[in-house]
Amino acid sequence: MEKSQNYVELWGTAGAAPSFSHENHGESFYRFPLRVERLSGQSDLPLILAPSTLLEGIDIAEGTPLRVTGQLRSFNNRSGHGSRLVISTFAQSLEPCDDGHFNRILLSGVLCKQPTLRRTPLGRSICDMILAVNRRYGRADYLPCIAWGKVAAKIAEMQVGDRLTLEGRVQSRTYIKQTDAGSEERTAYEVSVMQLLDDEETELI
């Protein structure tokens, strides 16, 4: 069986105190946004999902500097109108840190939808894709990814079922969704692909 890779490391500041998310097999889970600045000065707000055991002894409030490592997970939320893919970083370690910002993800999986190549109004190539990354016990996460330029053009030549290993960052963006009740602002989470890798290059993690 081919190895799947799913590793996220984020350094940033808590965007809010953790709030209760859900309970599963007797374990409580909490979520909060982590503000991670880009070099451009803009910020991403990836959603962190952490088990209560990781939060013991750590006082997290808005602005608390944190280092989080874990995996990017997807969940199909069928509550409300329609089905929505919820993307969050499942924390496997969480600790206070010095001020700093870092955003890195390594993924290895297979394309489960044909990549779509398009161009921005300024003529830059952009490619959208969904990568299926296996977990243990037969489950998988379906993670939306976006690539630019030469990397986008290369991915656009690939087919459904092809294996893809990449390095990138977890990014967030807001958009307006038109619903029966009117306009609604939502946040989308995706992986911005920086470069393609060989499987061997992820063995260092």
Side-chain angles (χ1 to χ4, degrees), residues 80-108:
H81 298 287
S83 177
R84 292 177 57 190
L85 192 67
V86 179
I87 305 295
S88 59
T89 297
F90 180 78
Q92 295 173 316
S93 74
L94 191 155
E95 59 189 8
C97 68
D98 297 330
D99 289 337
H101 295 272
F102 184 75
N103 188 335
R104 187 190 190 205
I105 182 167
L106 296 172
L107 291 176
S108 184

Side-chain angles (χ1 to χ4, degrees), residues 65-91:
L66 294 169
R67 175 182 181 265
V68 180
T69 64
Q71 296 183 337
L72 198 64
R73 298 279 181 87
S74 67
F75 170 70
N76 225 1
N77 179 19
R78 293 184 173 86
S79 63
H81 298 287
S83 177
R84 292 177 57 190
L85 192 67
V86 179
I87 305 295
S88 59
T89 297
F90 180 78

Side-chain angles (χ1 to χ4, degrees), residues 36-44:
V36 185
E37 288 186 8
R38 303 183 192 177
L39 293 176
S40 65
Q42 292 182 310
S43 294
D44 291 300

Side-chain angles (χ1 to χ4, degrees), residues 13-29:
T13 57
S19 61
F20 179 76
S21 172
H22 66 279
E23 186 173 307
N24 188 26
H25 298 296
E27 174 89 76
S28 295
F29 292 84

Side-chain angles (χ1 to χ4, degrees), residues 2 108-112 114-115 130-132 154-155 157-165:
E2 293 180 313
S108 184
V110 296
L111 291 171
C112 61
Q114 189 62 38
I130 295 183
L131 194 67
K154 185 172 182 179
I155 294 174
E157 296 176 352
M158 302 177 73
Q159 303 297 318
V160 172
D162 285 349
R163 187 165 183 79
L164 188 64
T165 301

